[in-house]
Amino acid sequence: MPSSHRTSWNGFYFDGQSQRRHQVTITLAPEGVHIQREDGSTLWWLYDQTHPPEDFLPGEPVRLERKDSLGEALLVPESEFLEALRQFAPGIAGRWRSPSVTFSRMPFLVGMAAVLLFVAAAVYLWGIPGLTRLAAARVPPEWEEQLGDAALAQMAPPDVRCANGEQQKLVSEIADQLMNAAPPSPYRLQLLIVDNPMANAFAVPGGRIVIFRGLLERTDRPEELAGVMAHEIQHVLLRHPLQAVLRQLSLQALAAVLAGDSSGMASALGAAGTIGGMRYQRGDEHAADREAVRMLQVARVDPTGLIEIFEKLGHAPGDTPSALQYLSTHPLTSDRVEELRKLTAQSSEGHVPLLPGVAWSRLRDLCKSK
Amino acid sequence: MPIQCPACGATNPDHSWQCACGHYFVTTMPKPSDSLAEPAAPPSTMLAAASEPQTRRLWFRGAGGSLLEIYILNFLLTFLTLGVYYFWGKVKVRQYLYGQTEFEGDRFGYHGTGKELLIGWLKALALFGGFFALLALNQMLWQGKSQAILGQVLFYGGLLLLIPIAVVGSQRYRLSRTSWRGIRFSFRGHTTELMRNFLRDGLLTLLTGFLYYPFFQNNLREFLAHNSYYGSEPFDYNGEGWELFKMYMLTLLLILPTLGLYWFWYTAKKQRYYWAHTEFGKARFRSTVTGEGLAEIKITNLLLIIFTLGLGYPLARIREARFQADHLFLDGPLDLDRIRQQAEAASATGDALNDLMDVSLLDMDLGF
């Protein structure tokens, strides 16, 4: 037993019955502590009848609580008492952590936090996109369709759709021509035109494509519409919408785990029905562009329509807000335009004009007259 | 005082650990009821003379660095355990914050456990989930106008019932896990009573276009204070709804012209009023919080958190705790001697419900 540590300490005793502090003298011994009150009465506490003291920082009073006795405790103002206690109780000293250890752990903790952030970043950048791609490939098309239908019911319910038969028929013709140029897929493509002045178009999981009247009105020839349709069809064929949903879900779950936030978990589960906040990755846009141009070429449709309509949406005069709508979900970066120009320059001949004999300006405005 | 060994009967005159026969002596203090009379006031100079009127205050001794360390460790372990450690981490934070708050030379203690919080969270999830399942069921099974109305009724009615559960359960849990000098606090309010209050006050608030709201708040404050105990002694609140109403009206007038800044002055005024009408025994609380002070601490904390990308959050909590401690006083005689331990058990459900629903908008600030 090291004699370098004092065995006798001044402190306070709380009896757990009233809040009164009793001044006591505490003596450390191999089996426990001996407590002597001012009136001479004494108590003993064996070490294994006490709770290990909680983490204490240097300079704080040390508190020793009695097991199975509510409120009964010893308080020693000098924090060196803790070290002395550890010396006298080597058997259970392991349970009691010395405060000085706490501070030396700071570099280790900071290092671990940095590793943690790195791992989280890696998961975000590579893990989640890779895994969701794999997962999306395994989802049956019927489930995708149901998911898409649920989203459509919210965003494009039947009462806001353009029901003009002639317009619907001709637009479907364009869609069929494009689909014939694509390899067979399990998706039943369906085109819906929504009577809304916003210039936007998107695809939901399962093969439904929604085009807003505002975008239709900005086209000058059918090839431009075909360009947008081809782009959106490719998003569907490449399963981008589903991947985006899965990514959104797993990112929210990751964020909730990192933040340790229980309400985050609840909202992650609730977000399962929301597709509105969906974002495509940048790589997805490039892929959709490439495949769309190829599809247009195979279908012998002039692909420059795609560039034209995109540029129009980027430089819309007047009601800029609605034009920005399309770009907010499909950001048109300068490198996309570059690549599109390169791709379309490669194909030069073999185009057959779409819908010859149809006055496009009349057709596209058919929805308005509803 | 010699002690007789229960094993061999020998007397032990020199208070040694062990009898000659090998039996360890362990004794406990006789209970106060066993003693002849209440012990005379102890000669200890550490105790303030209990009956002399004076002003007492809270001290907050914490520093940002230690709490940051706790937060980093929590962050790390929560991630590694996929979220399970979250509850144990929360306990560590509370233990630190309570343990750094000092009154009359002694610090508060927090006695909750991670397991209790976890179980409470699961119960809250079930309750909460059940509530939303009911709403979803309503949406699925019925269509049309009646469904919409039923949905609204279910939602608001459900909330009016769930929130009292959260409030009472949360107070009961928190207070029963808080101690000072070994004596536990407790909350003895009944959920059914608060539910009745809420239904009545909620209806009145709705019917008066929210004019009744200050009265609602006052009633809640009264319920919370009356039913909170330290040991055997209750707190008391005697504020008037009318005073709060006047403050509320003034705020409605001034909030727009001041671009919302008046909110800080209103909150400070309300806090001062609350504390000035809260008593413990014959002592009365007093808050010196001002609108400027509140604005300063809240805004600087917000900037701190933003500009450190969240790392400053522990320091912000410390600053807030210190601010609150620095501005709360207790005036008057404090007769602590007659207070007895009267701990009440409580389960943790309400606490976790609070976490999920963020009921802070109901002004549940009792300072602990």
Side-chain angles (χ1 to χ4, degrees), chain B residues 43-62:
Chain B
S44 161
T45 50
M46 291 299 290
L47 276 182
S51 44
E52 269 173 28
Q54 54 171 214
T55 295
R56 291 162 237 261
R57 57 158 293 177
L58 277 176
W59 291 96
F60 186 76
R61 306 283 186 202

Side-chain angles (χ1 to χ4, degrees), chain B residues 246-318:
Chain B
K246 285 190 263 183
M247 276 184 240
Y248 188 59
M249 287 290 108
L250 188 62
T251 310
L252 287 182
L253 278 174
L254 290 176
I255 197 94
L256 280 179
T258 58
L259 300 173
L261 282 174
Y262 188 72
W263 181 86
F264 292 109
W265 276 260
Y266 167 66
T267 307
K269 225 181 191 176
K270 202 160 59 148
Q271 211 173 326
R272 288 199 302 271
Y273 182 81
Y274 275 167
W275 286 117
H277 289 84
T278 306
E279 295 175 335
F280 182 72
K282 295 205 195 68
R284 187 173 284 271
F285 286 93
R286 177 168 49 96
S287 170
T288 55
V289 161
T290 61
E292 304 91 59
L294 203 62
E296 191 197 320
I297 190 79
K298 295 265 187 218
I299 293 177
T300 49
N301 274 348
L302 187 66
L303 291 174
L304 174 67
I305 296 173
I306 292 177
F307 283 109
T308 56
L309 302 175
L311 278 176
Y313 181 72
L315 183 60
R317 278 197 89 164
I318 300 256

Side-chain angles (χ1 to χ4, degrees), chain B residues 64-85:
Chain B
S66 329
L67 192 58
L68 177 63
E69 198 192 294
I70 295 177
Y71 266 86
I72 291 181
L73 195 62
N74 286 354
F75 186 65
L76 188 68
L77 288 171
T78 305
F79 184 77
L80 289 175
T81 59
L82 297 181
V84 178
Y85 183 78

